[in-house]
Amino acid sequence: MKKRNSTFSEGGHYAADLDAAPGERYDAELEELIRKLLLRLKEDPEREGLRRTPLRVAKALDFLTGGYGMTVQDVVRDAVFEEQCEEMVIVKDIEFYSLCEHHVLPFFGKAHVAYLPDRKVIGLSKVARIIDVFARRLQVQERLTNQAADAMMEIMQPHGVAVIMEASHLCMMMRGVQKQNSSAITSAMRGTFRENARTRSELMDLIRR
Ligand code: ZN
């Protein structure tokens, strides 16, 4: 079985230990695949700088795709609370990092998540965790945005959810397909945010501040 390398810490994002100790073994099969990849790229996996690269890459890939081993229920646990709040809640500028499924290159940026509670609220730090569950997979930005919105709907049954994501894609930037500073914006609206234009424009006003 593959070891999962991501560890959760209370009150913050989980961090990866991507160092490689001499002689350390992690995932022999994956490390061998990466060694073969290095050979195929006409590199020498035995040279000093690359000797522990298969191990580090295996750990990095495991961490960056750690979302496959997580569920929204795992990360939220008991952080959904009864509360007589019906006002819009917005969590702005949540950093996220994901991998595009077409090139396995990073895309990263910021997410804004809003919801209209129906007597249930969620711990604010959990919103970023929910995004990580889906970001740490091979993704396309549109699906990531929709999955985050659907998860918020499922976990709280609020009146509505809005997720807006703005990201830079290295597969476009590094190939020069797009201007270096361009970014892609995606949104997913559920419930009131989809049905009510006034709710949407209230959201946009609050996000722009
Ligand atoms: Zn791509």
Side-chain angles (χ1 to χ4, degrees), residues 100 102-103 171:
C100 97
H102 304 128
H103 307 93
C171 61

Side-chain angles (χ1 to χ4, degrees), residues 40-60:
R40 182 67 184 76
L41 298 175
K42 300 190 167 49
E43 262 295 356
D44 170 15
E46 301 310 321
R47 73 176 170 84
E48 178 69 35
L50 289 181
R51 209 170 296 151
R52 291 203 281 274
T53 295
L55 173 65
R56 292 192 197 93
V57 174
K59 283 183 167 183

Side-chain angles (χ1 to χ4, degrees), residues 126-142:
K126 299 297 185 183
V127 177
R129 297 278 185 83
I130 290 174
I131 288 178
D132 279 342
V133 168
F134 300 106
R136 294 201 192 286
R137 301 176 187 210
L138 301 185
Q139 273 290 8
V140 295
Q141 189 179 329
E142 294 85 344

Side-chain angles (χ1 to χ4, degrees), residues 103-188:
H103 307 93
V104 198
L105 285 172
F107 67 95
F108 58 95
K110 284 182 171 167
H112 312 299
V113 176
Y115 67 98
L116 277 164
D118 182 9
R119 286 159 300 171
K120 276 185 197 167
V121 297
I122 188 173
L124 293 178
S125 68
K126 299 297 185 183
V127 177
R129 297 278 185 83
I130 290 174
I131 288 178
D132 279 342
V133 168
F134 300 106
R136 294 201 192 286
R137 301 176 187 210
L138 301 185
Q139 273 290 8
V140 295
Q141 189 179 329
E142 294 85 344
R143 187 170 68 230
L144 172 57
T145 310
N146 279 303
Q147 286 175 330
D150 290 337
M152 293 282 290
M153 285 299 283
E154 204 185 309
I155 212 88
M156 282 183 293
Q157 296 96 38
H159 293 299
V161 167
V163 178
I164 299 168
M165 296 185 126
E166 181 167 3
S168 302
H169 292 245
L170 285 188
C171 61
M172 292 198 281
M173 297 165 79
M174 295 179 78
R175 291 186 303 156
V177 172
Q178 281 204 336
K179 294 256 185 336
Q180 298 281 310
N181 293 320
S182 67
S183 59
I185 300 178
T186 49
S187 70

Side-chain angles (χ1 to χ4, degrees), residues 112 114 145-146 149-150 153 160-164 186-196 199-200 203-204 207:
H112 312 299
T145 310
N146 279 303
D150 290 337
M153 285 299 283
V161 167
V163 178
I164 299 168
T186 49
S187 70
M189 304 283 160
R190 301 287 184 270
T192 324
F193 287 98
R194 177 181 283 182
E195 291 143 21
N196 190 325
T199 309
R200 270 200 309 276
L203 167 68
M204 293 309 169
I207 284 179

